[in-house]
Amino acid sequence: MGAGWSYTARRLLGAVLVLIGVTIATFLLLHAAPGNPAEQVLGQRATPAQLHALEHQWGLDASLPSQFWRYAQQVVHGDLGTSFVYGKSVTSLVGPRVGQTALLVAVAVIFAILITVPLAALAASRRDSFADQAVRGFSVLGLGLPSFWFGIVLIEIFAVNLKLLPVGGYGTGFGGHLESLILPGVTAALAIVPLLIRSLRVGMLEVLDADFVAAARGNGLRESRVLFVHVARNAAVPTVTLLGLNIAYLLGSTVIVENVFALNGVGSLLLQAIQNRDFPTVQGITLLLAVAVVIVNLITDLLAARLDPRIRLR
Amino acid sequence: MDTNLDPERLCLIIPHFSRADVDRKLALMPYRLSELTRRDLLIRGGEGGAAVFGLSALLAACGGSSSKSSSSSSSSSVSSSTGAASGTPKKGGDLVFARSVAPTTLDPANTIIAGDIYTLNQIFEPLFITNPDGTLALWLAKSFTTSKDHLTWTFDLRPGVKFSDGKPLTADDVVFSIKREAANSVGPLSFLDFAIKSVTAQGSSTVVMKLKTPWAPFESDMSVFANAILPANFGGKSEKAFFQSPVGTGPFTLSSWTPDSNLTLKPNPSYWQTGKPYVDSVTINYVTDDNQRVLQVTSGQAQIADSVPPANVSQLKSNGAVNVSEFPAWQVDLLVFNEQVAYFKDVHVRRAITYAINRPGLVQAASFGTSKPGGSFFPPSLEYYDAGTPVLAYSVANAKSELAKSAYPHGFSTKLLVSGGDQTYAEFAQIIQADLAKIGIKVSITTLDHAAFETTFQKYDYDMFIDYAINDISDPDEMASFETDYKSGGSKSYWSSYDNPAVISLVHQAEAEFDTTKRKQLYAKIQAQVAQDAPFVALDYPPYIYATSKKVNGFAVNPGGAYRLADVWLD
């Protein structure tokens, strides 16, 4: 138990350091990038006096260290600041969008699993067959193609031609949300599926050579049972770890996927905020995403340990 | 002098035209919040854009409302295109608008952002508005007169106008609103009110404005969205609370709003134009992806999409479910020269480059023929545009001989700055690069994201850049002074540092000239001189391009980019 607690403490400390690092890096990058938020809001006719007045109101005329110190104090108190563009608190802007993005990520993870497991099992069970080659070819192709392209193709097929699903937007009601998230979910999932398939396939191949698999087969178990119960479970550990690591990547890809599908989630807000140099909003969202990634990684580690007791949390 | 076109009266004269189809103009200067503001809004009504709004809609509008007409004169002829009439306007239906720009505030005085302007002008109205053809029309003002010295302007308010809370419009509301804007030190467009000395109410329905100087663009200034009329003292609320649930005289009121996502409007029950708006609700969805906006209309999820990419236009025109409309804009795309750089201080270099750029070819290649090739720095949709401007038309031979007269006869190497994320400008840059190579000028292209781009050229840290200039109001003084008045125009001639005292003097003369014939001559001289001095190259005049469902009637956009959704009805 003692070892577990010190592990948790170390992980938490690490998480806090990561968040501080992300906060500092975002702050510095934003201030180093050319482009003036006051210019963006006031337009080309703004006089220097108007620009200064607005910069003063936003506290942008203070020194960088003092700006950062003030921001850090706010964040510690749970205040992410006020958007330059909307004049509303960043939490009130981001809050209503978190659900949309979280649901998108959840749907994407489900699709990722639904696509990965059968394909990896197929490839592993018929090693070097045509099916195996096809799955591996699909993975390589998938890695090379941008996800927005998949998105547009899916829209063309399922929304425009077959008219089965909405072109974009978030629908109304929970059913409407889910329906609207099918295409974006698949699109986002496809961004990480190739990696997952490769990992699970390799894992399964290793396990297939293990003695207990031979024993299971020897006991007359059906091949499908051997594959999905005994092999898949043991091969799952590296895949779950990989999935956890890729949640960060998935969150990043929501920025693009949300745009392609007209979802007004956290990702699309981040993109707008960057274009508008809306510093507080960019900083707030970046921090939230960092928190999400840290938490998911922590959960992944714990889950991996649960799946495979041989993994020690040190 | 009593100048102006009363829409009521127009209804009598030209059955096609209705007060309702008139739109106010408001544009968003060359200022945009992100790439997603002005430029992306360019639209226009393909096969007869203006014609989209039906004759009968207009007739109905004309018949449907009360009020007196006022005398009018000057200002522009109303050119009405023939309308493809499509039945009597129908009430009802929910209009969904997929739009590339989101509102950030509904305060008319404190924004320059397209998403704000085109939303708040469904809620608030000014004294004048701009018609889809770019002419001015009396709106909340029923008539006006000016004193002989042009220093006193008296406006009579339209009777029977009510705010959405049911209270009548009074002179006090106008006084409050105009004073607020004129005194707004951080108002992006408050410079338009600089001439105002005092604003006072005379009784409950007359407003008197005194000016510091005779100012010809004044009625046009009064039409800008920033001068829209709010209830005096925000109807007793705090400013912040007021703009959370705004009260205006416009056809719609705010129903719900999720920032950066969607906004819903519902009809104003007290609207002064009886019978309007036609639709039961308007939902404006913020959709940044070009492809997605267009698909939402083709699939029926939305009925109107803005900023259709020029590349999609011909394909969409063959789609039976949608109309594509291209509306002329008060916009010109410019290649600006930095005269603080030695090469571009030399007028022969600037002229040579102007000759060298194949503008008709550029329009075909980069805008797929949707925009018109550039000539004068005034766009053809702008009042006092002179089609006879002696422009330096494309000619490689002339370009070479002009460059031979310069201090750099064998050419030189230079840089061209463009804003990223704009496909059309990226293509312009490549075409210009190729055209200039033919006369020995080697161009390297620098691309920055929009915010960085603006900061860079506004620090004069560039050789040449491509951007667009826009007029917010129907009067051309705004564009003339912003682009050529080095001393007091506000931008050192659009950051070019072009300084021709003769031109500046003409600009000031035109500002104080009330005789439209003389004014026209002054602006013709300005356009001719600027064309010869070549401080920038007018590359093209792009339109606003919209896609609408075939069910949509009565949708029209004025050259400032504004539209009146009150006139829209659904089949």
Side-chain angles (χ1 to χ4, degrees):
Chain A
M1 208 60 201
W5 277 115
S6 92
Y7 170 82
T8 309
R10 270 184 289 120
R11 285 301 305 260
L12 282 177
L13 183 65
V16 169
L17 289 176
V18 165
L19 296 182
I20 292 174
V22 166
T23 307
I24 293 175
T26 313
F27 180 86
L28 290 178
L29 283 172
L30 275 176
H31 283 83
N36 177 346
E39 247 168 40
Q40 294 299 301
V41 167
L42 290 177
Q44 290 188 344
R45 293 274 191 169
T47 62
Q50 287 179 319
L51 291 171
H52 289 151
L54 204 54
E55 283 164 7
H56 179 72
Q57 189 186 318
W58 290 339
L60 290 177
D61 51 351
S63 71
L64 274 192
S66 82
Q67 283 187 52
F68 183 76
W69 179 239
R70 206 174 50 180
Y71 176 65
Q73 281 178 318
Q74 276 179 3
V75 169
V76 169
H77 291 99
D79 174 7
L80 295 177
T82 303
S83 160
F84 290 165
V85 174
Y86 291 95
K88 294 179 175 9
S89 76
V90 173
T91 34
S92 76
L93 280 177
V94 176
R97 295 163 168 267
V98 168
Q100 202 170 131
T101 300
L103 196 56
L104 171 61
V105 170
V107 170
V109 167
I110 291 168
F111 276 118
I113 294 168
L114 287 180
I115 299 169
T116 300
V117 174
L119 287 183
L122 177 71
S125 63
R126 310 212 178 135
R127 188 175 192 168
D128 296 329
S129 69
F130 174 77
D132 185 23
Q133 301 291 359
V135 169
R136 286 157 68 188
F138 164 78
S139 302
V140 173
L141 194 70
L143 277 178
L145 290 173
S147 54
F148 72 85
W149 183 83
F150 273 123
I152 292 170
V153 170
L154 291 176
I155 292 173
E156 276 302 325
I157 298 173
F158 293 99
V160 177
N161 289 325
L162 299 178
K163 300 192 189 300
L164 291 173
L165 293 166
V167 166
Y170 193 42
T172 43
F174 190 69
H177 296 338
L178 282 184
E179 190 185 45
S180 305
L181 287 177
I182 292 176
L183 294 183
V186 171
T187 307
L190 287 176
I192 57 167
V193 156
L195 290 171
L196 298 182
I197 289 182
R198 286 155 69 107
S199 160
L200 188 59
R201 175 182 167 276
V202 170
M204 283 180 147
L205 287 177
E206 280 172 8
V207 179
L208 277 170
D209 291 337
D211 293 342
F212 74 89
V213 173
R217 283 177 177 153
N219 285 338
L221 291 182
R222 278 217 311 274
E223 187 62 22
S224 61
R225 187 167 167 80
V226 172
L227 206 59
F228 286 102
V229 177
H230 297 274
V231 176
R233 176 160 181 186
N234 285 283
V237 176
T239 309
V240 167
T241 310
L242 199 65
L243 181 63
L245 289 173
N246 275 292
I247 295 283
Y249 186 73
L250 204 55
L251 277 171
S253 72
T254 60
V255 174
I256 293 161
V257 172
E258 284 179 5
N259 252 325
V260 171
F261 288 95
L263 292 167
N264 293 304
V266 176
S268 63
L269 181 64
L270 177 63
L271 198 64
Q272 290 308 306
I274 291 171
Q275 286 177 344
N276 299 333
R277 299 294 189 270
D278 189 352
F279 293 174
T281 308
V282 176
Q283 283 166 342
I285 294 179
T286 314
L287 188 59
L288 282 178
L289 291 179
V291 168
V293 169
V294 164
I295 291 174
V296 168
N297 283 347
L298 202 56
I299 293 173
T300 308
D301 288 355
L302 296 172
L303 201 61
R306 176 62 66 89
L307 281 170
D308 184 350
R310 286 171 300 181
I311 294 177
R312 286 283 171 79
L313 300 178
R314 282 175 219 269
Chain B
M1 141 181 141
D2 196 346
T3 332
N4 235 321
L5 293 167
D6 182 347
E8 307 274 357
R9 184 182 172 113
L10 286 175
C11 283
L12 301 174
I13 304 169
I14 305 163
H16 173 80
F17 204 75
S18 107
R19 183 184 58 245
D21 287 298
V22 185
D23 208 331
R24 40 148 117 42
K25 80 141 66 5
L26 28 87
L28 211 223
M29 271 320 262
Y31 331 138
R32 45 182 168 184
L33 181 55
S34 67
E35 278 92 282
L36 302 172
T37 47
R38 244 345 244 281
R39 170 170 187 87
D40 314 286
L41 285 175
L42 304 185
I43 310 222
R44 151 202 276 9
E47 344 291 42
V52 172
F53 46 98
L55 177 61
S56 44
L58 309 180
L59 288 173
C62 282
S65 57
S66 66
S67 93
K68 305 150 198 166
S69 58
S70 69
S71 64
S72 57
S73 58
S74 93
S75 252
S76 41
S77 53
V78 175
S79 62
S80 62
S81 43
T82 43
S86 46
T88 323
K90 285 182 192 140
K91 291 283 276 183
D94 299 297
L95 178 68
V96 180
F97 195 155
R99 212 171 63 173
S100 63
V101 288
T104 62
T105 174
L106 298 175
D107 180 353
N110 288 304
T111 183
I112 191 66
I113 293 165
D116 299 344
I117 299 163
Y118 305 145
T119 309
L120 66 87
N121 64 8
Q122 313 301 328
I123 299 172
F124 299 109
E125 301 176 323
L127 296 177
F128 297 85
I129 65 163
T130 304
N131 297 324
D133 70 356
T135 56
L136 271 183
L138 287 158
W139 203 247
L140 293 187
K142 180 191 66 174
S143 62
F144 72 100
T145 55
T146 62
S147 63
K148 263 217 164 88
D149 59 5
H150 301 294
L151 291 176
T152 304
W153 295 58
T154 307
F155 301 88
D156 286 322
L157 301 184
R158 185 179 293 280
V161 175
K162 285 180 183 163
F163 286 99
S164 58
D165 61 3
K167 294 196 181 124
L169 170 75
T170 68
D172 288 341
D173 301 316
V174 176
V175 171
F176 169 78
S177 306
I178 302 299
K179 274 187 169 171
R180 173 176 185 258
E181 168 63 359
N184 184 3
S185 63
V186 291
L189 288 174
S190 52
F191 69 91
L192 289 174
D193 289 358
F194 92 101
I196 296 176
K197 193 161 119 194
S198 70
V199 187
T200 48
Q202 211 173 65
S204 66
S205 62
T206 303
V207 177
V208 178
M209 300 196 203
K210 298 219 156 144
L211 303 193
K212 296 167 188 163
T213 177
W215 187 245
F218 192 60
E219 61 189 277
S220 190
D221 292 340
M222 283 296 112
S223 76
V224 76
F225 62 90
N227 281 323
I229 308 306
L230 320 172
N233 301 311
F234 306 113
K237 288 193 222 166
S238 77
E239 184 173 318
K240 197 173 175 190
F242 176 81
F243 288 111
Q244 301 280 323
S245 50
V247 171
T249 63
F252 291 96
T253 62
L254 181 63
S255 176
S256 69
W257 181 15
T258 308
D260 214 43
S261 179
N262 59 68
L263 180 145
T264 308
L265 299 168
K266 61 175 191 290
N268 168 6
S270 316
Y271 193 48
W272 55 276
Q273 288 191 45
T274 317
K276 291 188 184 179
Y278 298 115
V279 296
D280 293 334
S281 74
V282 175
T283 301
I284 298 170
N285 287 327
Y286 180 37
V287 182
T288 52
D289 187 77
D290 289 344
N291 190 49
Q292 176 69 224
R293 275 196 309 280
V294 171
L295 288 177
Q296 290 200 359
V297 171
T298 52
S299 72
Q301 217 169 307
Q303 286 84 46
I304 304 179
D306 69 356
S307 305
V308 174
N312 291 16
V313 168
S314 64
Q315 171 223 334
L316 276 175
K317 280 183 177 168
S318 63
N319 183 322
V322 295
N323 288 316
V324 187
S325 305
E326 297 160 67
F327 302 97
W330 291 320
Q331 166 166 350
V332 53
D333 289 326
L334 297 175
L335 173 73
V336 182
F337 302 116
N338 185 354
E339 294 191 19
Q340 295 179 11
V341 172
Y343 301 128
F344 302 113
K345 184 104 192 120
D346 189 329
V347 67
H348 298 296
V349 168
R350 303 195 306 263
R351 289 170 60 95
I353 291 177
T354 308
Y355 277 127
I357 298 174
N358 180 354
R359 281 143 283 170
L362 174 133
V363 162
Q364 272 313 318
S367 85
F368 300 86
T370 57
S371 55
K372 302 222 162 11
S376 166
F377 79 105
F378 274 15
S381 56
L382 193 59
E383 194 171 16
Y384 304 123
Y385 161 78
D386 183 8
T389 302
V391 297
L392 309 180
Y394 173 56
S395 159
V396 177
N398 285 354
K400 283 180 176 160
S401 64
E402 193 75 42
L403 195 63
K405 289 185 218 159
S406 78
Y408 313 95
H410 306 298
F412 53 90
S413 294
T414 185
K415 284 188 196 156
L416 173 56
L417 176 67
V418 287
S419 168
D422 190 314
Q423 188 56 32
T424 306
Y425 286 171
E427 283 165 24
F428 280 2
Q430 288 176 9
I431 293 166
I432 290 167
Q433 187 181 40
D435 282 347
L436 298 194
K438 290 177 197 156
I439 59 167
I441 297 175
K442 196 167 173 292
V443 177
S444 62
I445 298 168
T446 311
T447 306
L448 293 177
D449 99 293
H450 193 78
F453 162 79
E454 290 226 317
T455 304
T456 304
F457 77 72
Q458 292 185 19
K459 283 191 303 194
Y460 306 96
D461 184 13
Y462 75 94
D463 289 352
M464 300 186 285
F465 73 96
I466 299 176
D467 202 8
Y468 58 88
I470 278 175
N471 219 51
D472 289 284
I473 52 175
S474 57
D475 193 281
D477 173 60
E478 188 185 11
M479 191 172 259
S481 62
F482 201 61
E483 280 161 66
T484 64
D485 183 354
Y486 178 83
K487 289 186 179 60
S488 51
S491 64
K492 294 195 177 168
S493 305
Y494 213 87
W495 295 275
S496 68
S497 301
Y498 165 62
D499 182 7
N500 182 338
V503 169
I504 297 174
S505 156
L506 288 168
V507 168
H508 291 310
Q509 282 176 54
E511 285 167 349
E513 181 56 68
F514 284 77
D515 180 308
T516 52
T517 313
K518 286 184 189 156
R519 228 177 151 212
K520 190 175 171 60
Q521 288 163 358
L522 290 169
Y523 281 117
K525 277 190 198 168
I526 292 169
Q527 291 171 74
Q529 188 59 51
V530 171
Q532 293 305 311
D533 291 344
F536 24 68
V537 184
L539 297 171
D540 74 322
Y541 314 113
Y544 293 101
I545 308 178
Y546 278 78
T548 53
S549 148
K550 294 265 189 208
K551 291 177 181 165
V552 172
N553 299 277
F555 181 72
V557 178
N558 77 16
Y563 33 80
R564 288 186 47 78
L565 298 177
D567 303 334
V568 172
W569 56 277
L570 301 170
D571 267 329

